[in-house]
Each structure stands twice: as C-alpha cells, then as structure tokens.
Amino acid sequence: MSPADADIAAARSAVVRYGRRLVADGLVVGAAGNISIRLGDTIVMSPSGINYDQVTEASVNVLSAAGDILDGTGRRSSEWPMHRRIYDLTDAAAVVHTHSPFSVAVGAICDEIPAVHYSVLRLGGPTVRVAAYTTFGSDGLAASLAAALADRFAALLQNHGTIAYGATIEGAYDRAQLLEWLAEVYWRARLAGTPRILSAAELAAVSEAARRHRYRGGGGS
C-alpha cells in the first residue's frame, strides 16, 4: 500500500476502535454520535445508522473535502457539516461527537459548565459553553457550534450532546471523556447544593503551577 493508503487504513481502524470505546465508556448508545479523523483534505468518518459493534473498517466512510464518499460501504453521517466546520476553523486532526448522559442533561438546563474543577482548563478556558439548539445535521448547528468553540477544544450541544477535537484521535477522545466527567461533577454538585466555582485568580495559579510542573493543558496530572 502507498503511504496515503496506509494512513487511511490506520484511520479507519482507529474509527472502529474508538467507536467501540464510546459504547464501552457509556458516552453513546446504539449508533449515536460519530467520530472523524482528518488526513489532509480527506475525512475518515464513522457511518450513519450502524451500531458501533457492527461497524467495520470497510463501512467507515472516506470523504472528500466536499463530503463526497470516496470509499466505504456505510451511509455518510448527517453530522458531516459539523465536523467539516470544525476542520475549517481549527487545526484539528480528529473530532469526537457523543450523546453522553450527564452532558446532555447539563446542556438542557445550563448555558455553560463553570470552573467547578480546575481540569476545565484542559478544554481551553474557564468554562465549557453550550451551543444553542438547532436540528442535527443542519448548517445552523455548525454555525452555533463555531461560536461555542471559540478559544475552546470542546462544547456542549443543547439538548443533543457534546463535541470535542484534538491533534490526535486520542486527544479528542480524552477531551470528550473529560467533558462528560465535568458534567457529572457539576450535576452532582448542584444536586447537593451551590457549587463553589474557582475564581480567575485561582485558575491562573493552576495554570502557573502546571507550567512549573510541565503538566499538559494547564489542568494538572
């Protein structure tokens, strides 16, 4: 295989592998959510309407920059415009979209997740924003998401789920997991009372400590 073919094969394998992790980690049920990896102008993306335990490398779509299916037996995901928008706006190499339960719940009642824990900094800032609800797969959702992701690596999608991106599929997935963890922490804290939110000064001190100890993302180990 040529290097390009080898890269595409590796990306398809990763989409299958991380799709199964989505289910195992409780971030989706059935065929919900999606994963994509960018290779230059090509996007390798999980297919629509197939449960992750049934997704094969052959069913994973290889898409052109315009969204045309270059290879793959599966149907193209309706969320392709959302992934494409993130790739247009950032240097992301991978995107993970989940329907994780605490994130969906928090996104339905809040405008943001505040700094209930300092690891929020690993998602790009002191809050995680909620993108206003629009129908899945629409250009409106892609536009709403763009505002929520300004200077951030992840966002909640109101009454829908989450989106996270990274320089690798591993990084994007880790951020999706962290976002669900933060949503659960915030949900449980609000059930118990009024959460104490870290101040800007406290978050700045965390960032400084992270730089001193060389922690990635400013969020501690």
Side-chain angles (χ1 to χ4, degrees):
M1 290 188 296
S2 70
D5 288 339
D7 289 343
I8 288 172
R12 292 173 106 169
S13 176
V15 167
V16 171
R17 186 169 67 254
Y18 277 92
R20 291 174 182 170
R21 279 193 64 184
L22 283 175
V23 177
D25 291 335
L27 301 183
V28 301
V29 293
N34 32 69
I35 295 171
S36 71
I37 296 172
R38 174 166 62 177
L39 299 171
D41 291 330
T42 301
I43 297 175
V44 177
M45 189 169 185
S46 55
S48 177
I50 305 177
N51 286 359
Y52 288 100
D53 62 350
Q54 299 173 16
V55 172
T56 64
E57 292 178 23
S59 67
V60 172
N61 291 140
V62 180
L63 306 173
S64 71
D68 299 317
I69 297 178
L70 304 176
D71 195 16
T73 60
R75 288 189 293 118
R76 191 187 74 179
S77 171
S78 61
E79 301 285 19
W80 172 81
M82 180 169 64
H83 289 244
R84 177 76 258 176
R85 187 64 178 268
I86 291 172
Y87 291 132
D88 287 343
L89 293 173
T90 72
D91 59 358
V95 174
V96 175
H97 168 47
T98 80
H99 289 187
S100 37
F102 283 98
S103 295
V104 172
V106 169
I109 61 172
C110 300
D111 294 328
E112 65 180 20
I113 298 176
V116 68
H117 189 273
Y118 57 77
S119 61
V120 70
L121 293 173
R122 289 172 54 193
L123 299 181
T127 62
V128 178
R129 303 185 189 102
V130 178
Y133 178 80
T134 55
T135 306
F136 70 87
S138 67
D139 291 337
L141 176 58
S144 177
L145 176 65
L149 281 178
D151 301 316
R152 299 288 191 275
F153 298 116
L156 297 177
L157 309 176
Q158 193 174 51
N159 300 101
H160 186 162
T162 76
I163 197 84
Y165 70 89
T168 63
I169 183 61
E170 293 86 355
Y173 192 89
D174 286 349
R175 285 169 175 159
Q177 277 193 305
L178 174 59
L179 178 48
E180 174 66 355
W181 181 82
L182 284 168
E184 182 175 358
V185 167
Y186 188 49
W187 176 271
R188 294 187 183 280
R190 284 188 57 161
L191 286 179
T194 302
R196 179 184 181 276
I197 304 304
L198 294 168
S199 68
E202 289 168 328
L203 290 174
V206 168
S207 294
E208 176 57 32
R211 280 191 290 272
R212 224 170 33 243
H213 296 288
R214 297 183 180 179
Y215 290 142
R216 63 186 177 90
S221 60

